Amino acid sequence: MEHIRTTKVEHVKLLDRFSTSNKSLTGTLYLTATHLLFIDSLQKETWILHHHIAAVEKLALTTSGCPLVIQCKNFRIVHFIVPRERDCHDIYNSLLQLSRQAKHEDLYAFSYNPKQNESEREQGWQCINLADEYRRMGVLNSKWHLFDANRNYQICETYPIDLYVPESVNTATVVGSSKFRSKGRFPVLSYYHQDKEAAICRCSQPLSGFSARCLEDENMLEAISKTNPRNRYMYVMDTRPKLNAMANRAAGKGYENKDNYSNIRFQFVGIENIHVMRSSLQKLLEVNGTKGLSVNDFFSGLESSGWLRHIKAVLDAAIFLAKAIVVESASVLVHCSDGWDRTSQVCSLGALLLDSYYRTIKGFMVLIEKDWISFGHKFSDRCGHLDGDPKEVSPVFTQFLECVWHLTEQFPQAFEYNEAFLLQIHEHVHSCQFGNFLGNCQKEREGLKLKEKTYSLWPFLLDDQEKYLNPFYNPTSQKFAVLEPNTVPFNFKFWRNMYHQFDRTMHPRQSIFKLIMNMNDQNKQLEKEIKELEYKIKHQKNRQTDTVLNKESLLSIHPDSPALKPSLCFKKEQTLLPVNDAVRTIEGSNTADNRYSEYTEEFSKTEPAVVSLEYGVARMTC
Amino acid sequence: MEFSELIRTGRAEALLLPGPGQPPVRGTLCITSHHLLLSDGHGSPSDLWLLLRNVDAVEKRVAGNSGTITLKCKDLNILQLEIEGLEETLDIACSIEALSSLESVTTSYPFFYRPQGLRLGDSEYLHPPDDFYQQVALKTNAWRLSTVNRDFYVCASYPPALVVPCAIGDEALARSAHFRQGGRFPVLCYYHSINGTVMLRSSQPLQGANRRRCAEDELLLLEVLALGGGQGLVVDTRSAQAVKQARLTGGGTEAKAAYPGWKRLHRPLERGRPLQDSFVRLVEACTDPSLSMDRWLSRLDGCRWLTHVKEALTTASLVAQGMDREGICILVHGTEGTDATLLVTSLAQLILDPKCRTMRGFQSLLEREWIQAGHPFQQRCAHSAYTQGRPKNEAPVFLLFLDCVWQLSRQFPLSLEFGEGMLLALFDHAYASPFGTFLCNSEKERYLCEVKTKTHSLWSSLNQSKERKRLCNPIYSPNPLALWPSVEPQSLQLWAGKTSLRFHLPSLNPGSSPWLRSLTGFFHIPNSRSFLTLDSTT
């Protein structure tokens, strides 16, 4: 690769991010076409995908070398010290180039080869089928139908081909409505609630300005509200703050005038725009990246970043939507400005609250595929896959995942998947290793021929399902049919496992989760053994009956003869023991691992008055 | 009984308004000497049995011919009662106020409570100082059990038996006691058998402005170093500034010149009024569901409770680290040595000693390091967070300790034998209990009131197999290692189960970790826990 000038640098130091005493690991840094790799003296490997790099920074030269700080999109921050400035400069330049590709074709997904053949790849892409999903919702009834005039993306470029609109609406109405909506994103079905016969629809803001009207658009909304026999009123949720929506009117955009539409109830929900969200996350990361952070600074930083306030706003909007459907059986139309950020958040979270299917592993994939990928959330722009406008980057999808995480915390039994699943999806949204999240809309994806040239993430996650299962999942409980989360502020917490995913020392040192998973594995193993034994016994008996006389064969009629029970129990105890031992090993609790040891050096020095203890502890004077 | 004078109206028709996670009850309300009962007359499980001692504040409101009484409990629950009759409302409120604030120990409920299945005097079988001494004696013969305080003459707040170096005679101990505030001379509180280092605690030396010294006290600490490895560290739980201040009023700290081998470390920990204020403000923030996100975070920040948790855990970790990794002996003290000192010494033991993390071991740690060590429970826990009166000696030091233990249990969920239920039970019993365990301020007072022979021990009750099962951690797996907690702010959590949040979040399964509960099917029902049954006394 032309960007790589140095492939290997030795004696590089990796600093501990939160250490107050410049503790470090020494090792070798390798630069490959796709990854940056650091192998320390203990042979521990740290892999960093180039696409994950959000920023590289070269700090001022120090006596020990040239510091290089790399911030990743998965919130990993590494701090290297390269002994020679020239090497540092080379790596810095290479990383700058490698982490900012200009063309989609240069992304990892186009060279990633997981050793699958062509038919496996194709099958992988077919693993999620949205037509099936709409069928599952029960959409193909007399009221909704598949609208096929967007075959060549001629009505709306950023929508998928398959769209569902009310049966009573004709193409002319759709075209008229699309002309009255920002980016042509006319109202279409996102979710259909079969029991309540109510629909979640989505669109972009109307081009209403101060007074413009559009008859087709009004008819469109009328038609949507008529598909619902239970409630003639339909909610129109504008997910923006009112002020923003009003400001848009000056630009010829804006929001629905209630007087022009029959039977709508209009509601603002006040989620801030992508720029506010971007800077909020930026502030959050600044706060939690501080060394020796005090509790007060942490909370006041958390407050001033506004991050949790935004998360709450998104979740509140989704709850409003779910309530409209469950309590009032009303259909809801959701939009923001362009209808691909806040609208995707609110529609998908609303559906997640309403439908337990989306709380399964497969269902969650379907939900992301439907409300995010197909409806044109601009993943490439928002995640900064390519070197582009930094103002387009925003953690909209990350917020969605965080909202889901908050729900899993409140309803630990309602989700088939666990936190690791959410983190893994977050990882790959930014990794550009799979084709799913490349591009900004379906049209662009078709142009890139992603299905022919890249692999889909979903089959890989499904193959690894075991890792992502929530052991507490209770799919049968009626309690979790519709989730009604409580959004009082004290229910919102900082998501440590996301934003400090790679700062191992901050996490609990023992995991209940791992314990349960181990126990499950063990149970499976035991069950397998029981089956084998049963099989053997049967086999044995069959042999016996073959050789011995009729008299004996009577015994084999009773497979549960008391004689074999004790032997089973015995076996059970034997296999249980070693696993128990495995569970007992505690991460981070052995001498080498925890950072208290620095205290020794400090203490053994006779006079200096400062004792510094690691792990976020302040400095103490002797 | 003299209580009858305080009960103006013993009976009224009332309605208990439904609270979070609690059904409404309509029926007859009765005030007895120690309880408030509300029953619908059918003996249904939702009947209210409230120990009056649990009432922290009473608010009354009257309108027309009925009134509402709001009872704010020490366990942070809030109950609202609608009572028929104006007179009755006022009388009942008045009676509750009077009965809940009785100061006399010997007429308190534990002296009347006679539960089935327990024997009086059961607490006698717990002999922490002896047991503890036996453990130490098994490993070294350098320490002895001194009975210099057998009649509480040397130190009023110490128990009769104390562990001290063999080489120091009782005479010298008495002199050292004279040099320490309240007579609390340095005593052994933990022996780290891995490397033979020791942890001691005491109160401040009475150094005064003219820097007085005490030869016996110096000798005692010198002897400790001789036994424990040569290096020592005095962890003073006050700032250097506060020590200077204390010196003006006769207190002080160990001068470096007088105690060779001992270094000094100041780790200021909050106590007294500021700690109580912090608790009150935390509870205020938690009981206000109308707060916006920003407001909530700034109130949480402003109350500084988690800062105190962090400081306490940090200091304890530091002490533990010094002993385990550096091989140095530790002496912990602040001013009186009955609050922050005990917080640090008990937490450090929990970090280091796997035995303290068992159900039995934790109980004996509490008995040894809190109850017998003279934490003034009666003063500190006289009122909880709702009281309107000016706090005198109240401070939630013990609660802070429980919170720190809870933080440990979150970071090492398999390593403690007891679960969150145990910590919540201890919190409730420390403030209002039918058992005598947390009564009085010291062993001396308990001896004078005959607490041990006339009341039941909480431990006997907790160790009954049914209770024990409820309070145990189902996934406990003994862990022989030290538990080094992370004290980064990102690693600390607000203990919703402790704050009144546990009564406000029915949908959230207040109390313990939802994960754990799904695991065991153990559902924590807050209301049934705080109302104690009367059994034989009724």
mmCIF file of all heavy atoms in Angstrom, chain A residues 303 309 472 491 500 506 509-510 586 594 596 599-600 613 615-617 622, chain B residues 264 294 298 307 310 314 317 321 326 411 415 479 484-485 490-491 508 515:
data_model
loop_
_atom_site.group_PDB
_atom_site.id
_atom_site.type_symbol
_atom_site.label_atom_id
_atom_site.label_comp_id
_atom_site.label_asym_id
_atom_site.label_seq_id
_atom_site.Cartn_x
_atom_site.Cartn_y
_atom_site.Cartn_z
ATOM 1 N N GLU A 303 -23.851 16.344 33.421
ATOM 2 C CA GLU A 303 -24.978 17.256 33.312
ATOM 3 C C GLU A 303 -24.758 18.237 32.162
ATOM 4 O O GLU A 303 -25.621 18.418 31.310
ATOM 5 C CB GLU A 303 -25.146 18.026 34.628
ATOM 6 C CG GLU A 303 -26.310 18.981 34.605
ATOM 7 C CD GLU A 303 -26.204 20.027 35.702
ATOM 8 O OE1 GLU A 303 -25.466 19.801 36.668
ATOM 9 O OE2 GLU A 303 -26.850 21.073 35.562
ATOM 10 N N ARG A 309 -29.849 13.764 28.953
ATOM 11 C CA ARG A 309 -31.080 14.483 28.672
ATOM 12 C C ARG A 309 -31.566 14.138 27.264
ATOM 13 O O ARG A 309 -32.750 13.933 27.037
ATOM 14 C CB ARG A 309 -30.817 15.991 28.790
ATOM 15 C CG ARG A 309 -32.081 16.840 28.759
ATOM 16 C CD ARG A 309 -31.749 18.308 28.848
ATOM 17 N NE ARG A 309 -31.091 18.768 27.630
ATOM 18 C CZ ARG A 309 -30.033 19.575 27.609
ATOM 19 N NH1 ARG A 309 -29.501 20.014 28.724
ATOM 20 N NH2 ARG A 309 -29.502 19.945 26.473
ATOM 21 N N PHE A 472 -31.302 -14.470 31.046
ATOM 22 C CA PHE A 472 -32.505 -14.214 31.850
ATOM 23 C C PHE A 472 -33.755 -14.026 30.999
ATOM 24 O O PHE A 472 -34.822 -13.729 31.507
ATOM 25 C CB PHE A 472 -32.306 -12.973 32.722
ATOM 26 C CG PHE A 472 -31.104 -13.056 33.591
ATOM 27 C CD1 PHE A 472 -29.999 -12.270 33.361
ATOM 28 C CD2 PHE A 472 -31.066 -13.948 34.646
ATOM 29 C CE1 PHE A 472 -28.878 -12.362 34.157
ATOM 30 C CE2 PHE A 472 -29.952 -14.050 35.448
ATOM 31 C CZ PHE A 472 -28.853 -13.246 35.212
ATOM 32 N N ASN A 491 -33.463 6.978 36.521
ATOM 33 C CA ASN A 491 -33.304 5.709 35.822
ATOM 34 C C ASN A 491 -32.255 5.759 34.722
ATOM 35 O O ASN A 491 -31.970 4.755 34.098
ATOM 36 C CB ASN A 491 -34.627 5.286 35.201
ATOM 37 C CG ASN A 491 -35.548 4.742 36.241
ATOM 38 O OD1 ASN A 491 -35.111 4.428 37.338
ATOM 39 N ND2 ASN A 491 -36.816 4.651 35.930
ATOM 40 N N HIS A 500 -16.522 3.116 28.105
ATOM 41 C CA HIS A 500 -15.246 2.677 28.675
ATOM 42 C C HIS A 500 -15.025 1.205 28.373
ATOM 43 O O HIS A 500 -14.418 0.481 29.160
ATOM 44 C CB HIS A 500 -15.212 2.904 30.185
ATOM 45 C CG HIS A 500 -15.090 4.341 30.562
ATOM 46 N ND1 HIS A 500 -13.988 5.081 30.262
ATOM 47 C CD2 HIS A 500 -15.951 5.175 31.173
ATOM 48 C CE1 HIS A 500 -14.172 6.321 30.690
ATOM 49 N NE2 HIS A 500 -15.357 6.408 31.241
ATOM 50 N N MET A 506 -12.133 -0.389 35.045
ATOM 51 C CA MET A 506 -13.302 0.304 35.568
ATOM 52 C C MET A 506 -14.505 -0.606 35.756
ATOM 53 O O MET A 506 -15.500 -0.215 36.323
ATOM 54 C CB MET A 506 -13.697 1.402 34.597
ATOM 55 C CG MET A 506 -12.970 2.654 34.846
ATOM 56 S SD MET A 506 -13.717 3.906 33.854
ATOM 57 C CE MET A 506 -12.430 5.101 33.943
ATOM 58 N N ARG A 509 -15.278 -6.728 38.560
ATOM 59 C CA ARG A 509 -14.254 -7.739 38.333
ATOM 60 C C ARG A 509 -14.822 -9.139 38.249
ATOM 61 O O ARG A 509 -14.126 -10.084 37.948
ATOM 62 C CB ARG A 509 -13.208 -7.676 39.450
ATOM 63 C CG ARG A 509 -12.678 -6.305 39.719
ATOM 64 C CD ARG A 509 -12.062 -5.713 38.461
ATOM 65 N NE ARG A 509 -11.850 -4.275 38.597
ATOM 66 C CZ ARG A 509 -10.753 -3.739 39.100
ATOM 67 N NH1 ARG A 509 -9.783 -4.494 39.499
ATOM 68 N NH2 ARG A 509 -10.629 -2.438 39.190
ATOM 69 N N GLN A 510 -16.076 -9.280 38.606
ATOM 70 C CA GLN A 510 -16.707 -10.585 38.470
ATOM 71 C C GLN A 510 -18.017 -10.355 37.744
ATOM 72 O O GLN A 510 -18.683 -9.356 37.957
ATOM 73 C CB GLN A 510 -16.992 -11.189 39.848
ATOM 74 C CG GLN A 510 -15.748 -11.573 40.594
ATOM 75 C CD GLN A 510 -16.076 -12.106 41.970
ATOM 76 O OE1 GLN A 510 -16.938 -11.578 42.666
ATOM 77 N NE2 GLN A 510 -15.398 -13.161 42.364
ATOM 78 N N ILE A 586 -10.724 -14.665 38.986
ATOM 79 C CA ILE A 586 -11.281 -13.325 38.974
ATOM 80 C C ILE A 586 -10.405 -12.401 38.159
ATOM 81 O O ILE A 586 -9.216 -12.275 38.408
ATOM 82 C CB ILE A 586 -11.397 -12.813 40.410
ATOM 83 C CG1 ILE A 586 -12.457 -13.637 41.095
ATOM 84 C CG2 ILE A 586 -11.758 -11.349 40.431
ATOM 85 C CD1 ILE A 586 -12.197 -13.816 42.521
ATOM 86 N N ASN A 594 -3.755 -5.410 38.976
ATOM 87 C CA ASN A 594 -4.268 -4.140 39.453
ATOM 88 C C ASN A 594 -3.152 -3.163 39.746
ATOM 89 O O ASN A 594 -2.020 -3.528 40.003
ATOM 90 C CB ASN A 594 -5.218 -4.337 40.636
ATOM 91 C CG ASN A 594 -4.489 -4.623 41.881
ATOM 92 O OD1 ASN A 594 -3.703 -3.792 42.310
ATOM 93 N ND2 ASN A 594 -4.715 -5.789 42.444
ATOM 94 N N TYR A 596 -2.391 -1.013 41.974
ATOM 95 C CA TYR A 596 -1.997 -0.497 43.280
ATOM 96 C C TYR A 596 -0.492 -0.546 43.491
ATOM 97 O O TYR A 596 0.056 0.138 44.309
ATOM 98 C CB TYR A 596 -2.603 -1.325 44.406
ATOM 99 C CG TYR A 596 -4.047 -1.136 44.594
ATOM 100 C CD1 TYR A 596 -4.954 -1.818 43.807
ATOM 101 C CD2 TYR A 596 -4.524 -0.271 45.569
ATOM 102 C CE1 TYR A 596 -6.302 -1.644 43.990
ATOM 103 C CE2 TYR A 596 -5.868 -0.111 45.751
ATOM 104 C CZ TYR A 596 -6.765 -0.796 44.954
ATOM 105 O OH TYR A 596 -8.085 -0.637 45.145
ATOM 106 N N TYR A 599 2.178 2.070 44.336
ATOM 107 C CA TYR A 599 2.258 2.608 45.680
ATOM 108 C C TYR A 599 3.552 2.178 46.368
ATOM 109 O O TYR A 599 4.167 2.941 47.094
ATOM 110 C CB TYR A 599 1.035 2.088 46.417
ATOM 111 C CG TYR A 599 0.869 2.502 47.836
ATOM 112 C CD1 TYR A 599 0.481 3.799 48.151
ATOM 113 C CD2 TYR A 599 1.043 1.575 48.853
ATOM 114 C CE1 TYR A 599 0.281 4.155 49.467
ATOM 115 C CE2 TYR A 599 0.839 1.939 50.168
ATOM 116 C CZ TYR A 599 0.469 3.226 50.468
ATOM 117 O OH TYR A 599 0.258 3.567 51.756
ATOM 118 N N THR A 600 3.968 0.932 46.066
ATOM 119 C CA THR A 600 5.174 0.386 46.672
ATOM 120 C C THR A 600 6.374 1.276 46.447
ATOM 121 O O THR A 600 7.060 1.673 47.378
ATOM 122 C CB THR A 600 5.528 -0.980 46.045
ATOM 123 O OG1 THR A 600 4.335 -1.606 45.668
ATOM 124 C CG2 THR A 600 6.336 -1.807 46.993
ATOM 125 N N LEU A 613 -1.711 6.756 44.507
ATOM 126 C CA LEU A 613 -2.328 5.455 44.383
ATOM 127 C C LEU A 613 -3.091 5.486 43.081
ATOM 128 O O LEU A 613 -3.722 6.452 42.741
ATOM 129 C CB LEU A 613 -3.262 5.241 45.575
ATOM 130 C CG LEU A 613 -4.130 4.004 45.566
ATOM 131 C CD1 LEU A 613 -3.282 2.777 45.385
ATOM 132 C CD2 LEU A 613 -4.853 3.924 46.888
ATOM 133 N N TYR A 615 -5.724 3.933 40.130
ATOM 134 C CA TYR A 615 -7.170 3.718 39.994
ATOM 135 C C TYR A 615 -7.994 4.906 40.460
ATOM 136 O O TYR A 615 -8.898 4.814 41.237
ATOM 137 C CB TYR A 615 -7.575 2.383 40.616
ATOM 138 C CG TYR A 615 -7.856 2.299 42.090
ATOM 139 C CD1 TYR A 615 -9.153 2.008 42.536
ATOM 140 C CD2 TYR A 615 -6.871 2.508 43.040
ATOM 141 C CE1 TYR A 615 -9.423 1.920 43.876
ATOM 142 C CE2 TYR A 615 -7.134 2.424 44.377
ATOM 143 C CZ TYR A 615 -8.425 2.126 44.782
ATOM 144 O OH TYR A 615 -8.701 2.040 46.117
ATOM 145 N N GLY A 616 -7.672 6.036 39.944
ATOM 146 C CA GLY A 616 -8.544 7.176 40.155
ATOM 147 C C GLY A 616 -8.460 7.765 41.539
ATOM 148 O O GLY A 616 -9.271 8.588 41.929
ATOM 149 N N VAL A 617 -7.483 7.344 42.285
ATOM 150 C CA VAL A 617 -7.386 7.843 43.638
ATOM 151 C C VAL A 617 -6.590 9.141 43.631
ATOM 152 O O VAL A 617 -5.652 9.295 42.869
ATOM 153 C CB VAL A 617 -6.677 6.806 44.499
ATOM 154 C CG1 VAL A 617 -6.497 7.332 45.892
ATOM 155 C CG2 VAL A 617 -7.464 5.544 44.492
ATOM 156 N N CYS A 622 2.024 12.595 52.705
ATOM 157 C CA CYS A 622 2.450 11.856 53.885
ATOM 158 C C CYS A 622 2.714 12.816 55.033
ATOM 159 O O CYS A 622 3.278 13.862 54.815
ATOM 160 C CB CYS A 622 3.718 11.090 53.586
ATOM 161 S SG CYS A 622 3.453 9.330 53.657
ATOM 162 N N ARG B 264 2.731 9.675 58.573
ATOM 163 C CA ARG B 264 1.351 10.113 58.780
ATOM 164 C C ARG B 264 0.728 10.463 57.437
ATOM 165 O O ARG B 264 1.369 11.035 56.557
ATOM 166 C CB ARG B 264 1.329 11.315 59.698
ATOM 167 C CG ARG B 264 0.056 11.388 60.507
ATOM 168 C CD ARG B 264 0.176 12.427 61.571
ATOM 169 N NE ARG B 264 0.377 13.745 60.987
ATOM 170 C CZ ARG B 264 1.262 14.622 61.427
ATOM 171 N NH1 ARG B 264 2.049 14.345 62.437
ATOM 172 N NH2 ARG B 264 1.349 15.804 60.854
ATOM 173 N N ASP B 294 -31.274 17.427 33.930
ATOM 174 C CA ASP B 294 -30.160 18.279 34.344
ATOM 175 C C ASP B 294 -30.233 18.609 35.824
ATOM 176 O O ASP B 294 -29.239 18.602 36.535
ATOM 177 C CB ASP B 294 -30.152 19.580 33.527
ATOM 178 C CG ASP B 294 -29.715 19.308 32.112
ATOM 179 O OD1 ASP B 294 -29.403 18.140 31.819
ATOM 180 O OD2 ASP B 294 -29.699 20.246 31.306
ATOM 181 N N SER B 298 -27.575 17.645 38.722
ATOM 182 C CA SER B 298 -26.895 18.666 39.515
ATOM 183 C C SER B 298 -27.218 18.495 41.003
ATOM 184 O O SER B 298 -26.373 18.756 41.849
ATOM 185 C CB SER B 298 -27.225 20.072 38.992
ATOM 186 O OG SER B 298 -28.314 20.607 39.665
ATOM 187 N N THR B 307 -19.349 11.275 46.448
ATOM 188 C CA THR B 307 -17.985 11.704 46.759
ATOM 189 C C THR B 307 -17.552 11.071 48.078
ATOM 190 O O THR B 307 -16.418 10.594 48.218
ATOM 191 C CB THR B 307 -17.919 13.235 46.877
ATOM 192 O OG1 THR B 307 -18.401 13.786 45.666
ATOM 193 C CG2 THR B 307 -16.505 13.708 47.130
ATOM 194 N N LYS B 310 -16.783 7.493 47.545
ATOM 195 C CA LYS B 310 -15.485 7.341 46.882
ATOM 196 C C LYS B 310 -14.344 7.549 47.875
ATOM 197 O O LYS B 310 -13.380 6.783 47.905
ATOM 198 C CB LYS B 310 -15.378 8.342 45.736
ATOM 199 C CG LYS B 310 -14.062 8.261 44.983
ATOM 200 C CD LYS B 310 -13.989 9.330 43.902
ATOM 201 C CE LYS B 310 -12.558 9.667 43.577
ATOM 202 N NZ LYS B 310 -12.088 9.104 42.339
ATOM 203 N N THR B 314 -11.710 4.739 48.929
ATOM 204 C CA THR B 314 -10.318 4.995 48.585
ATOM 205 C C THR B 314 -9.426 4.853 49.815
ATOM 206 O O THR B 314 -8.375 4.203 49.776
ATOM 207 C CB THR B 314 -10.164 6.410 48.017
ATOM 208 O OG1 THR B 314 -11.084 6.569 46.956
ATOM 209 C CG2 THR B 314 -8.765 6.636 47.505
ATOM 210 N N SER B 317 -9.130 1.265 50.787
ATOM 211 C CA SER B 317 -8.270 0.537 49.841
ATOM 212 C C SER B 317 -6.813 0.858 50.103
ATOM 213 O O SER B 317 -5.937 -0.007 50.012
ATOM 214 C CB SER B 317 -8.590 0.920 48.399
ATOM 215 O OG SER B 317 -9.925 0.679 48.114
ATOM 216 N N GLN B 321 -4.107 -1.740 51.013
ATOM 217 C CA GLN B 321 -2.957 -1.877 50.132
ATOM 218 C C GLN B 321 -1.661 -1.759 50.914
ATOM 219 O O GLN B 321 -0.718 -2.508 50.701
ATOM 220 C CB GLN B 321 -3.013 -0.800 49.056
ATOM 221 C CG GLN B 321 -1.901 -0.932 48.051
ATOM 222 C CD GLN B 321 -1.797 0.261 47.139
ATOM 223 O OE1 GLN B 321 -2.469 1.266 47.364
ATOM 224 N NE2 GLN B 321 -0.984 0.171 46.137
ATOM 225 N N GLU B 326 2.521 -3.456 50.938
ATOM 226 C CA GLU B 326 3.700 -2.754 51.426
ATOM 227 C C GLU B 326 4.213 -3.330 52.737
ATOM 228 O O GLU B 326 5.299 -2.976 53.187
ATOM 229 C CB GLU B 326 3.364 -1.282 51.640
ATOM 230 C CG GLU B 326 3.520 -0.377 50.451
ATOM 231 C CD GLU B 326 2.832 -0.872 49.204
ATOM 232 O OE1 GLU B 326 1.647 -0.591 48.982
ATOM 233 O OE2 GLU B 326 3.520 -1.553 48.432
ATOM 234 N N GLN B 411 -19.187 -4.730 42.340
ATOM 235 C CA GLN B 411 -17.975 -4.971 41.559
ATOM 236 C C GLN B 411 -17.491 -6.411 41.686
ATOM 237 O O GLN B 411 -16.795 -6.921 40.813
ATOM 238 C CB GLN B 411 -16.878 -3.991 41.984
ATOM 239 C CG GLN B 411 -17.260 -2.552 41.661
ATOM 240 C CD GLN B 411 -16.082 -1.609 41.789
ATOM 241 O OE1 GLN B 411 -14.931 -2.001 41.699
ATOM 242 N NE2 GLN B 411 -16.376 -0.328 42.000
ATOM 243 N N SER B 415 -18.439 -12.549 45.379
ATOM 244 C CA SER B 415 -17.503 -12.705 46.487
ATOM 245 C C SER B 415 -18.076 -12.462 47.877
ATOM 246 O O SER B 415 -17.391 -12.694 48.853
ATOM 247 C CB SER B 415 -16.300 -11.769 46.287
ATOM 248 O OG SER B 415 -15.656 -12.085 45.094
ATOM 249 N N ASN B 479 -13.939 -16.424 47.652
ATOM 250 C CA ASN B 479 -12.859 -15.851 46.872
ATOM 251 C C ASN B 479 -11.707 -15.533 47.823
ATOM 252 O O ASN B 479 -11.832 -14.658 48.662
ATOM 253 C CB ASN B 479 -13.403 -14.578 46.197
ATOM 254 C CG ASN B 479 -12.324 -13.767 45.534
ATOM 255 O OD1 ASN B 479 -11.165 -14.175 45.475
ATOM 256 N ND2 ASN B 479 -12.711 -12.605 45.035
ATOM 257 N N TRP B 484 -9.943 -5.574 45.299
ATOM 258 C CA TRP B 484 -9.532 -4.192 45.084
ATOM 259 C C TRP B 484 -10.585 -3.503 44.246
ATOM 260 O O TRP B 484 -10.703 -3.747 43.061
ATOM 261 C CB TRP B 484 -8.181 -4.139 44.385
ATOM 262 C CG TRP B 484 -7.102 -4.854 45.131
ATOM 263 C CD1 TRP B 484 -6.472 -5.992 44.757
ATOM 264 C CD2 TRP B 484 -6.534 -4.479 46.395
ATOM 265 N NE1 TRP B 484 -5.554 -6.353 45.703
ATOM 266 C CE2 TRP B 484 -5.564 -5.451 46.716
ATOM 267 C CE3 TRP B 484 -6.767 -3.424 47.278
ATOM 268 C CZ2 TRP B 484 -4.814 -5.391 47.889
ATOM 269 C CZ3 TRP B 484 -6.021 -3.375 48.442
ATOM 270 C CH2 TRP B 484 -5.064 -4.346 48.735
ATOM 271 N N PRO B 485 -11.346 -2.612 44.829
ATOM 272 C CA PRO B 485 -12.422 -1.997 44.064
ATOM 273 C C PRO B 485 -11.905 -0.880 43.168
ATOM 274 O O PRO B 485 -10.870 -0.276 43.451
ATOM 275 C CB PRO B 485 -13.334 -1.425 45.145
ATOM 276 C CG PRO B 485 -12.419 -1.121 46.270
ATOM 277 C CD PRO B 485 -11.293 -2.125 46.212
ATOM 278 N N GLN B 490 -16.905 6.722 37.373
ATOM 279 C CA GLN B 490 -17.698 5.953 36.409
ATOM 280 C C GLN B 490 -18.038 4.569 36.945
ATOM 281 O O GLN B 490 -18.934 3.906 36.434
ATOM 282 C CB GLN B 490 -16.932 5.775 35.092
ATOM 283 C CG GLN B 490 -16.727 7.037 34.303
ATOM 284 C CD GLN B 490 -15.347 7.628 34.539
ATOM 285 O OE1 GLN B 490 -14.871 7.656 35.670
ATOM 286 N NE2 GLN B 490 -14.705 8.096 33.495
ATOM 287 N N SER B 491 -17.277 4.120 37.947
ATOM 288 C CA SER B 491 -17.504 2.774 38.466
ATOM 289 C C SER B 491 -18.452 2.762 39.661
ATOM 290 O O SER B 491 -18.902 1.710 40.077
ATOM 291 C CB SER B 491 -16.177 2.141 38.899
ATOM 292 O OG SER B 491 -15.255 2.162 37.850
ATOM 293 N N LEU B 508 -39.606 -0.799 38.485
ATOM 294 C CA LEU B 508 -38.179 -1.025 38.302
ATOM 295 C C LEU B 508 -37.636 -2.106 39.214
ATOM 296 O O LEU B 508 -36.454 -2.329 39.237
ATOM 297 C CB LEU B 508 -37.448 0.269 38.637
ATOM 298 C CG LEU B 508 -36.781 0.948 37.493
ATOM 299 C CD1 LEU B 508 -35.822 1.968 38.020
ATOM 300 C CD2 LEU B 508 -36.043 -0.064 36.654
ATOM 301 N N TRP B 515 -30.901 -8.135 37.702
ATOM 302 C CA TRP B 515 -30.317 -9.373 37.187
ATOM 303 C C TRP B 515 -30.388 -10.463 38.227
ATOM 304 O O TRP B 515 -30.787 -11.576 37.968
ATOM 305 C CB TRP B 515 -28.844 -9.153 36.847
ATOM 306 C CG TRP B 515 -28.630 -8.218 35.749
ATOM 307 C CD1 TRP B 515 -28.252 -6.918 35.837
ATOM 308 C CD2 TRP B 515 -28.804 -8.468 34.357
ATOM 309 N NE1 TRP B 515 -28.181 -6.363 34.592
ATOM 310 C CE2 TRP B 515 -28.507 -7.298 33.675
ATOM 311 C CE3 TRP B 515 -29.177 -9.602 33.639
ATOM 312 C CZ2 TRP B 515 -28.566 -7.202 32.293
ATOM 313 C CZ3 TRP B 515 -29.235 -9.498 32.272
ATOM 314 C CH2 TRP B 515 -28.940 -8.317 31.610
#
